[in-house]
Amino acid sequence: MKAKRQLCIGMSIAVTWLTGNGWRRPDSRVEEIYSADFYRDLARRAEAAKLDFLFRPDTLFINPHSAARSPAFSSLDPSLLLAALARETRRIGLITTASTTFSPPYLVARQLQSLNWLSNGRAGWNVVTALDGHRNFGLDSMPPSAQRYDQALEFTDLVRQLWQSYPHDALTVDRQTGEYARAARLRAVNHHGRFFNVEGPLNVPDAGTGAIPLFQAGASAHGRDFAARIADGVFAATPDIAAGIELRADLRRRAQAHGRRPEALRVLPGLSLYLGKTRREARELYQDTHAGTPRNQQYDAIQQMLGLDLSRLPLNSRVTAQMLPAAAPQARSQTHADLLRRLIVQQQPRVADLLKRPEVIGSAHWLVVGTVDDALDDIIGRVEAGAADGFIALPGGSPQSLDRLFDELIPRLTQLGLFRRDYRGATLRQHLGMDPLD
């Protein structure tokens, strides 16, 4: 590489290697995914590899049809899980997810500051507006995207105010005088906004390790602007290098327009890794993982995202921009819909190829199906092109992808000087380069 700047590397603990048919493998340990020991072992391996953080995405609903075929997004509560892992690790960052659409700001502020104390400054917050689950929280429908992000902005600002409402230096703990804290330094936020009314102050003091880093994953226009305002890291869906370059450049422009340093925002694409000893082995792993995905499910996914019914077209037919409806439907994931639309406009894929797209059968993340060398070349190419500042690993298909990430890929990046050999800092802020190292 031209300049060996250090990559920021995290890993999702959403057990992505158990999706599709991955859970059916004899070595999957799927029976253990609600056990603390399963995640303890995973966290210790990630910390031994010196990763910057563990990242736990979350949903607040479950689709019974999906649950019938795989673990889907059923999961332990992310904040409780990461609180447990805080006791089992010492250095690795712990990023939990909390929704600004469904959760009360005071509760989220308290949970995050509690996790920050329990982990000695290693907590992070993945700020999401959520895509679904409204019926579990008394809503008849999801609010429009613009409203959700307006609410998220007010929510995030309020949480930050609450974190500051009980400052660390208010704690005196003076046994001689009997003063535990200086009451004058605690201050109510007295927030009366469009969406929330909160008095404060928070009943958990600031941990004294600096503001908790914020992550965000929205890639729509509203999501990008929100990320440019508040995020320290962006969990990005960028299936190709051009999408990564465009997203990173746009986010940096937006951040600067909001008075922030562009480099303060780190773009960290999800990297879906299906790794084998050979490319053939990796392709077979990918194919086996997704074998049996119902064809009607793939057609339905495309129609829901694009309003395009391809079920009557021959598989070798080209899908062109002229076939796209003028009025696109309101997609559940606008990010996936925008990426598919862009692909059709630029490449005119065949129906058969479109049905195999990650956005249709899985996710819109950057995908590597190959050897560790292939993954290494792809990572270097993306970073040199300005498409990423690192990545969040999403091992796929089998524990072998996880093993090759830890045992081969990370050591290779270290040997090339692209990733550190050991932790230098103790907090998530230090891992992300937000605070000077002691």
Side-chain angles (χ1 to χ4, degrees), residues 126-300:
N126 177 38
V127 186
V128 299
T129 64
L131 294 174
D132 206 338
H134 51 280
R135 297 178 189 86
N136 295 325
F137 297 88
L139 300 178
D140 293 330
S141 62
M142 284 295 289
S145 177
Q147 179 181 323
R148 294 204 309 274
Y149 278 108
D150 286 345
Q151 181 171 328
L153 193 59
E154 182 180 331
F155 189 114
T156 306
D157 182 63
L158 178 52
V159 166
R160 284 171 157 169
Q161 291 181 53
L162 286 165
W163 285 339
Q164 296 166 5
S165 68
Y166 191 162
H168 188 75
D169 62 9
L171 294 171
T172 54
V173 195
D174 190 328
R175 289 179 172 83
Q176 295 299 318
T177 65
E179 182 185 69
Y180 176 76
R182 294 179 182 173
R185 293 190 180 179
L186 277 70
R187 52 190 181 275
V189 299
N190 289 324
H191 178 90
H192 303 285
R194 176 183 170 190
F195 299 100
F196 305 107
N197 291 286
V198 177
E199 182 182 35
L202 193 65
N203 65 347
V204 182
D206 175 73
T209 55
I212 295 171
L214 305 184
F215 281 64
Q216 206 272 334
S220 65
H222 295 299
R224 290 183 182 201
D225 198 64
F226 178 63
R229 289 173 181 267
I230 66 100
D232 302 299
V234 174
F235 179 37
T238 56
D240 57 61
I241 196 166
I245 293 170
E246 186 277 329
L247 177 64
R248 185 168 178 266
D250 183 50
L251 286 171
R252 287 188 155 209
R253 282 193 299 269
R254 290 173 186 259
Q256 189 166 30
H258 289 301
R260 301 182 65 197
R261 293 182 299 108
E263 62 273 15
L265 195 154
R266 299 150 193 81
V267 176
L268 305 171
L271 174 52
S272 184
L273 294 163
Y274 289 78
L275 300 176
K277 290 182 181 178
T278 64
R279 291 176 179 173
R280 179 177 178 178
E281 181 182 294
R283 285 194 299 269
E284 289 175 350
L285 174 62
Y286 183 78
Q287 291 165 0
D288 290 347
T289 299
H290 296 290
T293 302
R295 181 60 57 83
N296 67 317
Q297 180 180 317
Q298 295 165 287
Y299 283 124
D300 287 347

Side-chain angles (χ1 to χ4, degrees), residues 79 96 105-125 159-168 202-213:
S79 296
T96 187
Y106 193 96
L107 178 64
V108 170
R110 187 181 190 220
Q111 288 176 334
L112 265 293
Q113 196 62 268
S114 298
L115 180 59
N116 212 33
W117 274 101
L118 295 173
S119 65
N120 297 313
R122 293 184 285 134
W125 176 22
V159 166
R160 284 171 157 169
Q161 291 181 53
L162 286 165
W163 285 339
Q164 296 166 5
S165 68
Y166 191 162
H168 188 75
L202 193 65
N203 65 347
V204 182
D206 175 73
T209 55
I212 295 171

Side-chain angles (χ1 to χ4, degrees), residues 13 19 33-34 38 52 71 85 90 102 107 172 213 301 330 431:
I13 54 170
T19 56
I33 63 172
Y34 304 111
F38 178 90
D52 288 300
L85 295 183
R90 292 292 177 268
F102 304 136
L107 178 64
T172 54
Q330 184 62 44
H431 300 340

